[in-house]
Amino acid sequence: MKPPPDSSQDTRQRLLEAAVLLFAQKGFDGVGIREISQKAQANSALVQYYFGSKEGLYLAAMSFLFDQGIDSVAALPAPPSLDEPEAFAKALDCLKGYIHAFLEELFACHDPAKCSRELQSAAHLFWTRELMEPAAGRVDIILGHVRPYADYLAACIRVLRPDLAEDAQFLMGSSIHAQIMFFHRDMSMISLLRGSAYGPQDVGTLATHISDFSLRGLGLGNTLQGVQ
Amino acid sequence: MKPPPDSSQDTRQRLLEAAVLLFAQKGFDGVGIREISQKAQANSALVQYYFGSKEGLYLAAMSFLFDQGIDSVAALPAPPSLDEPEAFAKALDCLKGYIHAFLEELFACHDPAKCSRELQSAAHLFWTRELMEPAAGRVDIILGHVRPYADYLAACIRVLRPDLAEDAQFLMGSSIHAQIMFFHRDMSMISLLRGSAYGPQDVGTLATHISDFSLRGLGLGNTLQGVQ
DNA sequence: TTAGGTTAATCAATCGATTGATTGAGTCAA
DNA sequence: TTGACTCAATCAATCGATTGATTAACCTAA
């Protein structure tokens, strides 16, 4: 009947979440296990107890993020296959939806409020860091995280531009992903250059721009109305 | 007649270059001054002597990179103004040239050979790092480095799409810069996804793709021949 | 029910190593 | 001699990691 005193796994969880947040903010070398355990209100020795080492904690944080993965892509309608009826129109919708969903995910809730998405926001910072220099040995986890995104987009493009070689299709997908991530990654620099940053309230604007720009880029400008 | 014993400024220089290389590779927290001075074949105390502190060395490295700036943008023909004759055609050439030059800069010479561009290559890694989280106090230097790039591209777009509002023009420029930098930043991830990385030998291919994709994206698809 | 034993979980204290920084003596050309 | 330069030695602070002790919950034989 009494309130359960921190069941053991709760402490482990707090350590994991604190690790995600701080590793995302400052990188592996930027935080110490003391700072992490302080934020988690736990003893620093528990890092070794639960995860073996600081690197173990980092790996666990990655796996943790991967497991409770952000399902915005999984939640999207499956992209059509080539022989499907109305495949083209469906792929078009999928592509637009994907761009919007990905952007929304990236810009999700930067509120100080105890939003459950605080972790999500940090998660993408975390992945962005790891993406730039994938340490050997962690490659599988990162690929597992990234692959669904790449595959979804590739599937759309395969239907939209079946005439292109696979190489060319890959380039197209890269151009689209580049834009989506740019507005999130380079938020600070954009803010410096144009005076103000893009925020969650701009996701619609950004998604529309990227969609229009990319559909024209894909050579599908004729399917857009009202644009030169 | 005897070999000149490291003139003082030479040691300082070696420290600076070693700092650029290592900071670029591992980030500020990833390297110690001992490792830096060892690579520079200098005493670690000289970091404090010449630069005051580790952070001073980091700042000096940034300024150093900024000063001996990579002039590929400055070397390009100035983008035309709106009222200039044949402004459109010139802007088109400038844009294409810019994309190619920027890409070539990013992919410049990864050879182990003592290529003077080894620094250049590290430089962009350095800037990429700093771009993601511009530390207060260093903002001016970074802006000074980035501004010419942003301005050049903006000038081109202003001529190519004078009908667009400034906001929309900024979005266009962002979409283009996003692509250029993506293929460099996410080299490792691209390599994992498609099996092999893009290298200096692919600059032409990439530049052509980005140019074509972006010109269509800009709504100038009609100026391209042979593409749907 | 109770006493004794086992376990996982947590803690403060401490380890050796490494960090950035400081010192004071030394070198050498001017 | 002076002043710019360089060095080995050393500083306090912090790093990740280890230790032994403590706690609380559970299990089991009496």
Side-chain angles (χ1 to χ4, degrees), chain A residues 183-198:
Chain A
F183 289 102
H184 178 249
R185 269 193 210 177
D186 295 78
M187 199 184 298
S188 317
M189 191 47 53
I190 290 179
S191 169
L192 289 176
L193 282 174
R194 75 185 276 268
S196 67
Y198 294 116

Side-chain angles (χ1 to χ4, degrees), chain A residues 7-64:
Chain A
S7 88
S8 69
Q9 290 308 312
D10 189 42
T11 305
R12 203 186 114 104
Q13 193 75 4
R14 287 203 316 275
L15 274 173
L16 265 180
E17 299 192 4
V20 168
L21 259 49
L22 290 176
F23 279 144
Q25 280 177 28
K26 314 187 181 184
F28 183 81
D29 294 317
V31 241
I33 58 172
R34 283 174 174 83
E35 188 178 355
I36 295 177
S37 22
Q38 184 180 0
K39 186 182 182 86
Q41 292 180 312
N43 191 285
S44 69
L46 294 178
V47 168
Q48 274 74 30
Y49 178 73
Y50 281 118
F51 309 101
S53 66
K54 185 188 180 185
E55 177 148 353
L57 173 58
Y58 188 83
L59 269 177
M62 259 177 73
S63 299
F64 167 70

Side-chain angles (χ1 to χ4, degrees), chain B residues 63-76:
Chain B
S63 299
F64 167 71
L65 281 180
F66 178 66
D67 290 339
Q68 71 149 36
I70 307 159
D71 299 315
S72 66
V73 173
L76 291 176

Side-chain angles (χ1 to χ4, degrees), chain B residues 85-140:
Chain B
E86 300 192 40
F88 187 88
K90 287 181 185 173
L92 210 62
D93 283 341
C94 283
L95 178 60
K96 291 180 186 173
Y98 174 78
I99 292 173
H100 188 95
F102 199 165
L103 272 174
E104 201 162 50
E105 200 177 287
L106 289 175
F107 281 96
C109 173
H110 286 235
D111 301 272
K114 189 62 186 178
C115 162
S116 86
R117 297 202 138 194
E118 180 191 16
L119 262 183
Q120 253 187 48
S121 177
H124 278 288
L125 239 177
F126 194 102
W127 291 121
T128 300
R129 247 180 228 286
E130 194 65 25
L131 231 104
M132 259 188 51
E133 31 193 351
R138 309 171 188 158
V139 166
D140 334 322

Side-chain angles (χ1 to χ4, degrees), chain B residues 157-204:
Chain B
I157 295 176
R158 201 175 301 118
V159 173
L160 294 174
R161 287 299 303 265
D163 55 312
L164 291 181
E166 204 167 332
D167 289 359
Q169 288 178 346
F170 185 85
L171 286 176
M172 295 289 184
S174 298
S175 284
I176 298 177
H177 269 143
Q179 295 174 74
I180 300 176
M181 298 196 287
F182 177 81
F183 289 102
H184 178 248
R185 270 193 210 175
D186 297 78
M187 198 183 298
S188 317
M189 192 46 53
I190 290 178
S191 168
L192 289 176
L193 282 174
R194 75 185 278 268
S196 68
Y198 294 117
Q201 73 281 2
D202 300 310
V203 165

